[in-house]
Amino acid sequence: MKKFFITTPLYYVNAAPHIGHAYTTIAADILARHRRQKGEQVHFLTGTDEHGSKIELVAQEAGVTPQAWADRIAAEFADLWKHLDIQYDDFIRTTQPRHSERVQQVFAHLLEKGVVYKGMYQGYYCVSDETYWTETEAPPDEKGRRLCPNPDCRKELKVTEEESYFFKLSAYQEPLLQHYRDNPKFLQPAHRAKEIVNFVGEGLRDLAVSRTKVSWGIPLLSDPGHVVYVWFDALLNYLTATGYRPPGMAEGPSDYAALWPADVHLVGKEIYRFHTVIWPAMLMALGVPLPQSVFAHGWWTVEGAKMSKSKGNFIDPREITREYGVDVLRYFLFREMPFGNDGDFSQQSLKKRYNAELANDLGNLVSRVTNMVDQYLGGALPGKPPLDRVSLVKELREETAGIEEAMERLAFQDALNRIFAVVGRLNLHVDQNKPWALVKTDPEAVKWLLFDLVCSLRMVAGWLTPFMPVTSAKIHSMLGVRRVAEPLTPEEVLAGPSGDRIAKGPPLFPRKTP
Ligand code: MSP
């Protein structure tokens, strides 16, 4: 069976991970957990991009070898993913021989095939972005300097003239346009497609894919004075991680057939072009099928400003989790901004959502329901109810389709909005039915009312599992659900609970002073 194969970008190891990296990785984890919940086989790949002059430079400043530096930062990424409950299946590092050796072979194959050729490169290079620019793309400013055209970078470019190998990207203009036309789901979300189609429509230049002035990289087998351009190297990870071998290589153990093509590459919007133009052209050159989709999400600013070294305003995910816990960070990032758009990270908004949505709405609902079962039913649910006495849980069956559909579209905010609308409805149901008063006049009705609420909450916790795995497991355990890995259908929910012990507990989200 082909696995659902999902990837994050390989993060540069020039500095410690921040909230932006955590964002993409948590998104991938949410999607991976959702797919696993549905019973699919999932393969979730992440890792680190460790070559290039930028990394060589920071290592030098720190007085260590680039490899030692990369080891240190790669470990920091892996530690953070563990801390954030990321269940990835593979972590690839571009300095691992399973990757670098394969990159050399792929390069040799493309050279032999004639889609890579030797030439002379003249132009400008941005060390920070690891990107080449032409004269027209980076015209001189009023002071005569050429700055990186990327509006988020604007660093001064280096003049470069050197012998270089080129990838015949220009030959793939038509095939790429054809692919975009034939596969409307390839470019995601839809609002980002136009920019790519226009860009490719304007024509493509061949791409310099080797460097002689960089030493920290993968040397070419046939010409070791050249190292592979870091993007050409890093993009190939999605393939090398599967154990892919270029044509003509000896067969060997490989997961390529079970994994490829990738179902979705998740990337930030700034690296969308690399993944939707260069990468698919490389795959076409290799004769390998293209990924099903590339999804670009937007960027976080912090308190209204771009995160940057000079401003020193990088948000460390651990700082947030120290104060709020891991699940709250996972929740906030995906409730606050629609996946695909840009948004702003503000402490005030975090606290506001925490108090209103988590402490008041969800946390309070769980504690009032479990407390009432404790107080009015002695902590045990009654046996199977007459079906006409449980209305809520049956209504919720209708909600599942909408939530599922949102998850399929990676519309995480939409899914959370729907889940929390249900939380609101459940709170309202309690308020309207006033079990504390009803218990005095109709204890039988209270029994089924609470039964209905417990079952509904079990479903809510099931939907929330990909977003807040620890909290959901806690809720399930308070509500007597032992099987938390899969979401429960209303039928299962109704069939399961008879006589189950319901445990009250400390508040899930203690209120913070506003
Ligand atoms: N190494 C390349 C990617 C190679 S993929 C074959 C790279 N690395 S990176 O460390 O700069 O990571 C970029 C990714 O981090 C973005 O694409 C995005 O997923 C995430 N983010 C970094 N800053 C971000 C924000 N401020 N907001 C949201 N996500 C951002 O590019």
Side-chain angles (χ1 to χ4, degrees), residues 10 12 18 20-21 24 49 231 268 270-271 297 299-300 307:
L10 293 203
Y12 287 130
H18 58 66
H21 308 122
T24 318
D49 185 351
W231 269 100
E270 85 292 358
I271 58 172
H297 64 69
W299 264 46
W300 285 99
M307 277 192 272

Side-chain angles (χ1 to χ4, degrees), residues 410-438:
L410 276 61
F412 301 125
Q413 188 195 48
D414 193 8
L416 283 171
N417 286 345
R418 285 165 184 268
I419 298 169
F420 276 76
V422 170
V423 170
R425 241 164 77 191
L426 298 180
N427 271 319
L428 191 69
H429 196 71
V430 175
D431 296 342
Q432 286 173 339
N433 287 283
K434 302 187 177 47
W436 48 90
L438 195 63

Side-chain angles (χ1 to χ4, degrees), residues 138-147 154 156:
D141 68 2
E142 64 286 353
K143 291 187 192 138
R145 298 169 311 172
R146 292 186 193 260
L147 304 183
R154 303 303 285 160
E156 188 155 2

Side-chain angles (χ1 to χ4, degrees), residues 103-119 164-169 171-172 206-210 220 222-223 226-229 232 236 281-282 285-286:
V103 168
Q104 289 179 316
Q105 289 152 359
V106 165
F107 204 100
H109 172 72
L110 294 177
L111 195 60
E112 197 184 292
K113 218 174 157 182
V115 280
V116 167
Y117 63 91
K118 200 170 188 174
S164 176
Y165 287 85
F166 285 84
F167 170 55
K168 276 192 187 159
L169 186 59
Y172 296 94
D206 289 353
L207 180 72
V209 289
S210 77
L220 303 193
S222 59
D223 198 348
H226 285 252
V227 303
V228 179
Y229 170 44
F232 203 79
L236 279 169
M282 288 164 68
L286 285 169

Side-chain angles (χ1 to χ4, degrees), residues 8-15 18-25 48-50 54 77 94 230-231 233-238 266-272 274-275 297-302 306-307 314 337 343:
T8 72
L10 293 203
Y11 304 109
Y12 287 130
V13 293
N14 55 320
H18 58 66
I19 202 84
H21 308 122
Y23 183 58
T24 318
T25 306
T48 40
D49 185 351
E50 306 189 351
K54 195 164 35 171
F77 273 94
T94 55
V230 66
W231 269 100
D233 156 0
L235 284 165
L236 279 169
N237 91 86
Y238 303 126
L266 284 186
V267 299
K269 62 177 183 179
E270 85 292 358
I271 58 172
Y272 195 44
F274 290 95
H275 284 81
H297 64 69
W299 264 46
W300 285 99
T301 51
V302 171
K306 184 185 176 303
M307 277 192 272
F314 283 104
M337 96 176 176

Side-chain angles (χ1 to χ4, degrees), residues 117-123 160-166 208:
Y117 63 91
K118 200 170 188 174
M120 198 64 182
Y121 176 77
Q122 283 164 316
T160 341
E161 186 177 50
E162 57 182 331
E163 199 183 78
S164 176
Y165 287 85
F166 285 84

Side-chain angles (χ1 to χ4, degrees), residues 179 186 260-265 275 279-280 283 288-294:
H179 187 81
F186 180 72
W260 199 259
D263 290 272
V264 49
H265 292 313
H275 284 81
W279 176 229
L283 291 168
V288 165
L290 304 200
Q292 304 290 350
S293 68
V294 182

